[in-house]
Amino acid sequence: MASGNPCFDDVRSKAEVIDPPQNQDMMDIREAVDGPTQNELKPNVAVSGSVRQLLECPVCLNAMYPPIHQCSNGHTLCSDCKPRVHNRCPTCRHELGNIRCLALEKVAASLELPCKYQSYGCIGIYPYYSKVKHESQCVYRPYSCPYAGSECLVVGDIPYLVAHLKDDHKVDMHSGSTFNHRYVKSNPQEVENATWMLTVFSCFGHYFCLHFEAFQLGMAPAYIAFLRFMGDDDDAKNYSYSLEVGGNGRKIVWQGVPRSIRDSHRKVRDSFDGLIIQCNMALFFSGGDRKELKLRVTGRIWKEQETGRTAYDETFSSNPIFLSSSRLPFCRVNEAF
């Protein structure tokens, strides 16, 4: 079982893509260039670096969108940065006033640029004013590292991240769709420096991340286990999984759909989308003097047919796993068979 540095507070910082300002000034420019085929794939169009540099705001270095402002000497900057420079040109320090650079706006409207994720496989060419929106939804955009124990900023495609998890984070890799893991913790009341665990499973030609960790639920500590799919949400919905934990003649069973790693680890955890075990119940399952956490979590991943029935699973373990016929997520406590 893989474990990382004890670090509970995981905040996966991701660059937020913001659509260009939707105002009347921008709509005026779009009306002249938008057509019914603006999002169709087109032959690659070479755009000189000098033109791209003209459209780069000298303050924030982001692409500029209408209204683009300029000073009396012709230096430009974006509308978001104008208030930040107190109406003074950042280049020559002259007063900016309310002069718009309509010529540059029209030049931008005539441009068609490749997606910035071209190196990942996207071959689309998009109008300048549609490019940012496309890139925020591009299926080829890279994934963030799903490792939950550190501020890892690595991004890449799935094969790259799998190798990264194995080589850099030393995460355990397993083949098969069933699992049976034991979690032990000497101080179950401690949450701030709680030990979390991540294991990667390979089955059905895809990779799945199994998370287990402690977190604060109200005023009391609790534990959560959940599964994430290394791919997009549309593909994740083709699979289901179940988790089970128990002891002393009782058990809790959870069934759900894995979340895509497009959703951050913290987002999944804070939405309680997984098997949640309150501390008192976890200690009851652990038995003994209830001073040490000893949980055994078993589970199974399976693929759904189009009809919603279970198709099959790739079993590499002899451990029997409880599986409900229901497709909907649920959590229940019952007596062990």
Side-chain angles (χ1 to χ4, degrees):
M1 171 52 54
S3 61
N5 297 326
C7 178
F8 172 71
D9 280 332
D10 168 50
V11 180
R12 178 76 59 233
S13 58
K14 300 176 73 175
E16 184 178 9
V17 180
I18 302 176
D19 286 346
Q22 300 296 314
N23 54 35
Q24 187 58 45
D25 295 324
M26 185 170 181
M27 296 305 294
D28 292 341
I29 299 297
R30 282 185 172 177
E31 287 176 1
V33 297
D34 285 355
T37 61
Q38 69 174 28
N39 290 325
E40 294 178 1
L41 299 184
K42 300 179 181 181
N44 203 341
V45 178
V47 178
S48 68
S50 59
V51 174
R52 295 191 189 187
Q53 189 174 7
L54 284 174
L55 291 166
E56 184 180 272
C57 175
V59 179
C60 65
L61 303 182
N62 292 325
M64 295 187 291
Y65 298 93
I68 297 175
H69 296 279
Q70 70 173 17
C71 71
S72 57
N73 289 326
H75 302 127
T76 58
L77 82 163
C78 72
S79 58
D80 290 336
C81 290
K82 184 183 177 184
R84 295 168 54 187
V85 298
H86 305 292
N87 205 36
R88 290 284 176 181
C89 175
T91 303
C92 66
R93 308 307 299 168
H94 283 195
E95 186 175 350
L96 286 170
N98 292 310
I99 307 173
R100 279 181 61 182
C101 188
L102 296 177
L104 189 56
E105 292 178 8
K106 291 181 179 179
V107 168
S110 68
L111 296 181
E112 293 180 333
L113 303 174
C115 174
K116 71 178 180 180
Y117 302 125
Q118 188 178 51
S119 62
Y120 289 94
C122 183
I123 61 173
I125 304 295
Y126 299 90
Y128 182 82
Y129 294 129
S130 302
K131 181 173 176 285
V132 172
K133 183 175 182 179
H134 159 76
E135 290 171 347
S136 69
Q137 304 168 349
C138 180
V139 296
Y140 292 97
R141 68 191 189 279
Y143 299 89
S144 296
C145 174
Y147 193 73
S150 66
E151 293 290 337
C152 184
L153 301 178
V154 170
V155 297
D157 57 19
I158 298 303
Y160 178 82
L161 289 182
V162 169
H164 165 69
L165 288 171
K166 181 180 179 181
D167 298 337
D168 298 331
H169 294 301
K170 310 303 179 184
V171 171
D172 279 351
M173 303 285 172
H174 295 275
S175 295
S177 58
T178 63
F179 41 90
N180 187 337
H181 293 317
R182 191 165 183 256
Y183 300 98
V184 179
K185 190 178 185 333
S186 58
N187 184 3
Q189 300 295 332
E190 185 178 288
V191 170
E192 292 301 321
N193 296 312
T195 299
W196 52 265
M197 293 187 179
L198 171 65
T199 308
V200 174
F201 294 89
S202 172
C203 54
F204 310 111
H206 293 282
Y207 293 92
F208 299 81
C209 297
L210 176 64
H211 297 265
F212 180 86
E213 66 178 78
F215 72 108
Q216 198 74 23
L217 183 61
M219 300 298 294
Y223 299 90
I224 185 171
F226 57 88
L227 198 71
R228 286 202 291 167
F229 176 78
M230 295 189 72
D232 283 329
D233 187 60
D234 288 343
D235 293 325
K237 292 176 181 177
N238 294 324
Y239 300 90
S240 294
Y241 75 101
S242 65
L243 297 174
E244 179 182 318
V245 62
N248 287 330
R250 299 290 186 274
K251 66 181 177 181
I252 300 176
V253 180
W254 161 268
Q255 181 177 314
V257 177
R259 297 279 287 272
S260 166
I261 59 172
R262 295 285 189 201
D263 291 335
S264 69
H265 160 269
R266 173 166 288 230
K267 180 179 180 179
V268 178
R269 188 199 69 201
D270 292 349
S271 66
F272 309 128
D273 193 1
L275 173 65
I276 298 177
I277 315 155
Q278 294 186 354
C279 187
N280 289 337
M281 182 65 74
L283 294 176
F284 174 76
F285 288 155
S286 300
D289 57 8
R290 299 192 178 189
K291 292 183 179 180
E292 185 178 39
L293 181 73
K294 297 179 180 179
L295 290 179
R296 183 175 296 278
V297 177
T298 60
R300 180 181 183 183
I301 306 166
W302 68 95
K303 189 174 183 179
E304 296 288 341
Q305 292 178 333
E306 292 183 0
T307 59
R309 296 180 180 178
T310 302
Y312 58 90
D313 65 278
E314 298 177 356
T315 303
F316 289 81
S317 170
S318 59
N319 298 301
I321 306 298
F322 175 87
L323 176 62
S324 169
S325 60
S326 171
R327 181 72 160 85
L328 299 176
F330 71 94
C331 184
R332 74 184 186 195
V333 180
N334 58 3
E335 293 188 5
F337 296 112

